[in-house]
Amino acid sequence: MITLTKEDGPADLDGVTHLSIGVSWDPTAGSSGGLMGKLRRKTGTDLDLIAIAMQGADPVRLAGLDSLDPMGNGSLVHSGDNMTGHGAGDDETVTVEFARIPPNITSIVFVAAAYKKGSSFQKARNISFKVYDATGGSSQQVADIWPSLLTQDNGCAVAKAVRAGGSWKLEVINVTGKIKQGDEYSLMRFAVSK
């Protein structure tokens, strides 16, 4: 297992036919103790993993939020919305089957966002991204990506899968920024800039 960073440069995905990226987080009460702290931990916070399929610099499909199979062919599939961060393992996952991605798609940007009103990175801790090689039907974790938690932003472009001729590469972006909560256009503009 390795921890991928921006400094590592793009990782070759030769031989990887199915790639999954999962995000997990733990709810936190922040500085609240007592009853308020228990309530905040119980309700958790809603972070979202979103994959945006790009045609050059133009976002054309989005997996996440309420869109689980935006291509309609199973090539880019989101696991569904976890609204609390409760539970073991990954809270949300996006799986890519590279052979079925339409040829006009040049990259896929993976974004973690506190997208819905009232959610924030500050209400979550231990945010982690896991990269899985799901080739052959079983998922094996091959890498971690650990974003910086020192941010007041509510969006993090985590990584990007980029088409390179007949194969794909995965590069870590790990850049944060502001997304207007609940505004899909703002989310798209954020992905385009990465």
Side-chain angles (χ1 to χ4, degrees), residues 9-68:
D12 274 328
L13 296 176
D14 293 340
V16 176
T17 62
H18 294 67
L19 178 80
S20 290
I21 298 216
V23 64
S24 63
W25 68 94
D26 296 327
T28 180
S31 58
S32 298
L35 182 59
M36 285 306 292
K38 285 183 182 176
L39 286 173
R40 284 195 178 131
R41 270 191 298 277
K42 185 172 182 175
T43 56
T45 192
D46 187 3
L47 299 185
D48 292 292
L49 176 63
I50 300 150
I52 300 169
M54 307 288 289
Q55 181 176 288
D58 190 23
V60 293
R61 292 287 186 274
L62 177 146
L65 305 175
D66 59 358
S67 178
L68 303 183

Side-chain angles (χ1 to χ4, degrees), residues 1 11-12 15 19 24 45 53 56 58-59 61 63 66 68 79 82 86 103-104 106 108 112 114 128-129 170 176 183:
M1 180 99 54
D12 274 328
L19 178 80
S24 63
T45 192
D58 190 23
R61 292 287 186 274
D66 59 358
L68 303 183
S79 63
N82 178 321
H86 288 292
N104 60 307
T106 55
I108 302 166
S128 70
F129 301 90
L170 183 70
T176 63
D183 183 341

Side-chain angles (χ1 to χ4, degrees), residues 1-4 20 22 129-133 140-146 170:
M1 180 99 54
I2 59 170
T3 299
L4 294 174
S20 290
F129 301 90
K130 295 177 178 68
V131 180
Y132 300 92
D133 180 352
Q140 175 186 350
Q141 185 180 351
V142 293
D144 281 313
I145 302 171
W146 292 3
L170 183 70

Side-chain angles (χ1 to χ4, degrees), residues 142-165:
V142 293
D144 281 313
I145 302 171
W146 292 3
S148 171
L149 298 179
L150 291 175
T151 181
Q152 294 297 312
D153 293 332
N154 66 339
C156 180
V158 179
K160 178 164 48 172
V162 180
R163 192 185 294 271

